[in-house]
Amino acid sequence: TWGFRLTHNFVSRGGVGHEDWRYSDMRRTFGRHFWWASLFSVFLGQAAFLFSACLSLYGVLCAPEPLTATDAAGAAVCFGAVLLEAASDLQMDAFVAARREHRTDATVIDRGLWMWSRHPNYLGELTWWWGLYL
């Protein structure tokens, strides 16, 4: 569910066939060494982070014990985190569309979840990882 949401956002926002500006900048800066620079500064770092973050799942997935209330709580936290991220994404998309169509002059979204948190999508992301920890 978490990965589907990220992939959906990437594709729906024109991510396929479009290179992120940060990679374009790295490509200009490192030239023919871009491949090595991006491998070590971006991709291996992300892989190491995700691997270490998912280590807590190893014991759970290999354990012969039945699921407990803590497991159910962790699943509920993860589910709530995905809902929080999805709702904040929808609100941000509506705000960007309103700005594009000149229906608002606001420069910062301050309604819905964004009224309570400056970055509810990041809060949802952090909450997702706490749910996996549980």
Side-chain angles (χ1 to χ4, degrees):
T1 305
W2 173 75
F4 174 78
R5 186 196 68 79
L6 288 176
T7 303
H8 176 267
N9 283 345
F10 177 74
V11 172
S12 66
R13 294 176 180 168
V16 176
H18 172 265
E19 185 174 52
D20 187 284
W21 66 269
R22 294 169 287 194
Y23 297 125
S24 300
D25 189 44
M26 282 180 69
R27 191 179 303 282
R28 273 191 308 280
T29 301
F30 294 107
R32 65 185 188 103
H33 300 292
F34 167 75
W35 188 88
W36 291 105
S38 62
L39 175 67
F40 289 107
S41 68
V42 178
F43 302 112
L44 286 179
Q46 288 177 357
F49 172 75
L50 287 173
F51 177 78
S52 63
C54 290
L55 277 176
S56 63
L57 296 174
Y58 182 75
V60 172
L61 295 173
C62 294
E65 294 90 22
L67 297 177
T68 65
T70 304
D71 299 322
V77 168
C78 285
F79 182 73
V82 170
L83 288 179
L84 177 63
E85 288 180 290
S88 63
D89 289 341
L90 290 172
Q91 291 173 4
M92 177 56 80
D93 291 343
F95 175 75
V96 169
R99 287 204 25 98
R100 191 178 317 116
E101 297 166 4
H102 304 290
R103 289 184 283 128
T104 183
D105 292 330
T107 56
V108 176
I109 184 171
D110 59 357
R111 291 182 170 78
L113 296 170
W114 299 84
M115 179 173 53
W116 300 102
S117 172
R118 180 59 18 223
H119 298 288
N121 48 348
Y122 295 148
L123 177 61
E125 178 77 14
L126 179 69
T127 305
W128 165 264
W129 291 105
W130 276 107
L132 290 184
Y133 171 76
L134 288 176

